[in-house]
């Protein structure tokens, strides 16, 4: 699918955005008094998502009132894509905003409308909403479409089941992106991972039906180095420490980190921002499967960096494949190294599905990311690299433990593990995302979801300083 606005010169109907207490004659002098009377007779109270279609004297449609609900007291309001409800509720056709309520974030509203158009229709026909918005004057149309396109790509990749989104198909998606934007791509696959010193990626993925691989995309550009590393575990059985069936049900989304870095790269490339930096994408793509050659609990793996890792749980495989990719990325000492991964259940227990934690030692950068996320409807929450917990990831017979016993501070210990491999980067940020919308919400249908992409995008001035 391609996100789109209605053409600005196409015939369109007016859409008035109304908050409680504003419905009535004082709404706008442009509304016919008969229409205002009609709205009152219909009991229109501007509740969130409430629609009142306004008839013309000849019986035609003259526009609509749309309820925004009460004025939010905080920018990251519970209903942060309020206008997305209109895309779902209004009749098919083109609509233009007839007013701009005070305090309403017009850009976020327009982006939510684009998000609401998304439908995953690969396996059955699903009609997208027919209501199209004319991009409001003064907004950057191309920027909004680029952000929506990145979101659509991430959602599509996550929603696709592992039967059609294994390591090979994820590689093809990366090749398609590189081809669209003139980027170079190199893939190290199968036993070549051993020859090229990516032993942990190989160990985790060698039991899969498709060979494990490391996908490396470089975009043309000059300036600071920004390297994005995304976890590409296309399905996670848990390995020999097998998950129960209920925990395996959503494991097609375990490549959500890879989907999100590809979605962010799509947005950056569409906007041409990659030309102002040296943008690199690294994705270790594997399936954590069960076979005679699967890696085992108790194995000691030697990483690309030379650190040894004791495997105390084969279901903590994401940090293993990320470690080799981060070690490669750090060898170039990028100005910013970012990892994104559906990594720990502990992060979900702490913050739930909608608020991914991130870890960053650079206070200014962390503030920029969290502030950008708050301002642009993409909330994230900073957690600490709490160094007293370093001892928890240091077992007796190896340098590192991939799954400390006890279960305390699981998101933090995973982040500390990854940080051991990001050493040469000037700044490092790790995002422990969920990548899934568990129930439908305005602009966010149930299914795969982008997280932290816009927070990173809008923090770029700080990243590129």
């Amino acid at each position: 699918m391609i996100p789109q606005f209605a053409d600005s010169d196409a015939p369109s109907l007016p859409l008035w955005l109304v908050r409680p207490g504003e419905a009535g004659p004082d709404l706008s002098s442009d509304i016919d008094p008969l229409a205002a009377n009609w709205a009152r007779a219909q009991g229109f109270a501007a509740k969130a998502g409430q629609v009142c279609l306004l008839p013309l004297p000849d019986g035609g449609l003259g526009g609509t009132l749309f309820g925004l609900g009460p004025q939010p007291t905080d920018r990251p309001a519970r209903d942060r894509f309020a206008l997305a409800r209109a895309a779902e509720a209004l009749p098919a056709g083109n609509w233009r905003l007839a007013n701009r309520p005070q305090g309403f974030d017009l850009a976020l509203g327009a982006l939510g409308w684009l998000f609401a158009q998304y439908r995953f229709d690969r396996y059955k026909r699903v009609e997208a909403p027919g209501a199209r918005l004319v991009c409001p004057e003064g907004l950057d149309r191309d920027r909004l479409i680029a952000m929506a396109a990145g979101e659509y790509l991430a959602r599509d990749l996550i929603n696709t089941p592992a039967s059609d989104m294994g390591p090979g198909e994820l590689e093809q998606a990366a090749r398609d992106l590189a081809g669209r934007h003139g980027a170079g791509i190199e893939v190290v696959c199968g036993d070549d991972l051993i020859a090229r010193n990516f032993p942990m990626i190989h160990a985790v993925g060698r039991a899969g039906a498709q060979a494990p691989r490391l996908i490396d995309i470089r975009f043309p550009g000059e300036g600071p180095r920004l390297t994005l590393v995304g976890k590409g575990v296309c399905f996670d059985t848990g390995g020999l420490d097998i998950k129960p069936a209920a925990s395996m049900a959503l494991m097609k989304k375990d490549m959500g980190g890879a989907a999100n870095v590809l979605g962010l790269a799509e947005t950056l490339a569409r906007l041409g921002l990659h030309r102002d930096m040296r943008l690199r994408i690294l994705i270790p793509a594997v399936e954590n499967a069960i076979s005679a050659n699967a890696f085992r609990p108790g194995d000691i793996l030697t990483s690309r960096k030379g650190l040894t890792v004791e495997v105390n749980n084969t279901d903590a495989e994401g940090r293993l494949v990320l470690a080799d990719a981060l070690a490669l990325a750090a060898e170039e000492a990028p100005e910013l190294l970012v990892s994104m991964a559906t990594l720990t259940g502990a992060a979900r227990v702490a913050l739930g599905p909608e608020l991914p934690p991130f870890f960053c030692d650079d206070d200014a950068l962390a503030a920029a990311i969290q502030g950008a996320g708050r301002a642009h409807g993409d909330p994230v929450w900073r957690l600490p690299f709490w160094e007293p917990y370093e001892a928890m990831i240091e077992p007796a017979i190896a340098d590192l433990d991939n799954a400390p016993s006890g279960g305390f501070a699981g998101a933090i210990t995973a982040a500390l593990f990854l940080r051991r491999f990001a050493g040469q980067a000037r700044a490092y940020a790790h995002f422990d995302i969920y990548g899934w919308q568990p129930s439908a919400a305005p602009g966010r249908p149930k299914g795969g979801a982008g997280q932290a992409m816009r927070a990173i995008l809008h923090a770029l001035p700080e990243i590129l300083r």
Side-chain angles (χ1 to χ4, degrees):
M1 296 182 64
I2 301 174
Q4 55 188 274
F5 287 109
D7 292 335
S8 58
D9 56 354
S12 58
L13 291 169
L15 167 63
W16 282 271
L17 307 180
V18 192
R19 296 203 184 278
E22 296 177 347
D26 60 338
L27 170 66
S28 171
S29 59
D30 296 330
I31 297 180
D32 185 275
L34 290 177
N37 289 336
W38 172 263
R40 286 193 293 272
Q42 296 299 308
F44 179 73
K47 297 177 182 178
Q50 188 177 14
V51 170
C52 182
L53 300 178
L54 301 176
L56 293 172
D58 64 2
L61 182 59
T64 191
L65 307 183
F66 180 78
L68 292 177
Q71 173 74 41
T73 57
D74 192 18
R75 294 292 294 275
R78 183 166 60 186
D79 197 1
R80 63 180 182 268
F81 293 122
L83 192 56
R85 296 178 187 269
E88 301 277 1
L90 294 180
N94 300 329
W95 296 86
R96 68 181 184 278
L97 294 185
N99 67 325
R100 300 190 177 200
Q102 185 177 2
F104 180 71
D105 190 325
L106 200 57
L108 197 57
L111 182 63
W113 190 301
L114 293 180
F115 282 0
Q117 291 179 352
Y118 174 83
R119 292 293 183 274
F120 184 63
D121 58 2
R122 177 166 178 170
Y123 299 100
K124 73 174 185 178
R125 183 176 178 82
V126 184
E127 292 293 336
R132 293 286 183 268
L133 179 69
V134 175
C135 186
E137 186 177 349
L139 297 186
D140 188 334
R141 175 191 178 106
D142 291 339
R143 188 175 183 86
L144 291 170
I145 289 176
M147 287 190 287
E151 177 74 20
Y152 280 27
L153 175 59
R155 291 179 182 182
D156 278 348
L157 294 174
I158 296 170
N159 285 330
T160 304
S163 55
D164 291 319
M165 188 53 64
E169 290 83 6
L170 185 56
E171 175 190 332
Q172 186 57 55
R175 289 189 180 279
D176 291 344
L177 182 144
R180 284 194 299 273
H181 301 296
I185 183 168
E186 179 185 8
V187 178
V188 183
C189 188
D191 289 343
D192 285 346
L193 290 165
I194 298 295
R196 298 278 295 274
N197 194 23
F198 301 105
M200 295 207 295
I201 298 174
H202 183 272
V204 171
R206 68 193 181 205
Q210 294 186 24
R213 62 206 69 200
L214 176 68
I215 302 164
D216 187 351
I217 307 172
R218 291 182 183 269
F219 287 80
E222 296 294 333
R225 294 184 187 274
L226 170 60
T227 301
L228 307 175
V229 180
K231 175 185 170 184
V233 178
C234 295
F235 194 82
D236 182 17
T237 65
L240 292 175
D241 287 306
I242 190 168
K243 295 176 182 288
S247 299
M248 220 181 291
L250 279 182
M251 283 301 100
K252 68 176 185 179
K253 79 170 186 67
D254 212 21
M255 39 64 70
N260 273 255
V261 299
L262 290 173
L264 178 55
E266 176 74 22
T267 295
L268 292 171
R270 279 176 172 260
L271 295 175
L273 297 176
H274 64 290
R275 301 189 189 98
D276 299 324
M277 64 184 83
R278 284 173 284 183
L279 175 63
R280 187 183 191 186
I281 310 295
L282 291 171
I283 297 171
V286 302
E287 180 177 354
N288 187 21
I290 298 173
S291 184
N293 66 338
F295 75 121
R296 298 163 293 257
D299 283 356
I300 303 291
L301 305 178
T302 301
S303 68
R304 177 181 182 84
K305 191 174 181 179
L307 295 173
T308 56
V309 180
E310 182 178 357
V311 177
N312 282 312
N313 191 325
T314 62
D315 196 19
E317 84 297 332
R319 67 201 71 184
L320 300 177
V321 299
L322 287 170
D324 273 355
L326 287 169
L328 173 66
E331 289 165 12
E332 289 187 337
E335 275 71 22
L336 177 61
L337 175 56
V338 172
S339 57
M340 302 185 78
T342 52
L343 203 62
T344 70
R348 309 293 82 75
V349 171
L351 297 176
E354 291 191 8
L355 185 59
F358 77 104
F359 302 79
C360 182
D361 281 332
D362 185 318
D363 290 341
L365 177 59
I369 291 171
Q370 189 157 345
R374 183 181 300 110
H376 296 280
D378 192 17
V380 293
W381 194 262
R382 188 185 185 188
L383 290 183
F385 283 119
W386 186 246
E387 294 186 357
Y389 292 163
E390 290 276 6
M392 296 169 65
I393 60 171
E394 296 170 346
I397 61 171
D399 294 316
L400 294 170
D401 183 340
N402 83 319
S405 61
F408 287 135
I412 295 175
T413 56
L416 289 170
F417 181 99
L418 294 178
R419 190 176 66 166
R420 294 287 186 99
F421 298 88
Q424 292 95 324
R426 185 187 63 79
Y428 172 55
H430 164 61
F431 293 80
D432 194 337
I433 67 172
Y434 190 52
W436 189 261
Q437 181 69 27
S439 58
R444 293 160 289 159
K446 181 179 179 179
Q451 290 185 311
M453 293 191 291
R454 297 189 311 283
I456 295 171
L457 171 69
H458 290 95
L460 276 177
E462 181 67 27
I463 293 170
L464 299 178
R465 71 187 191 280

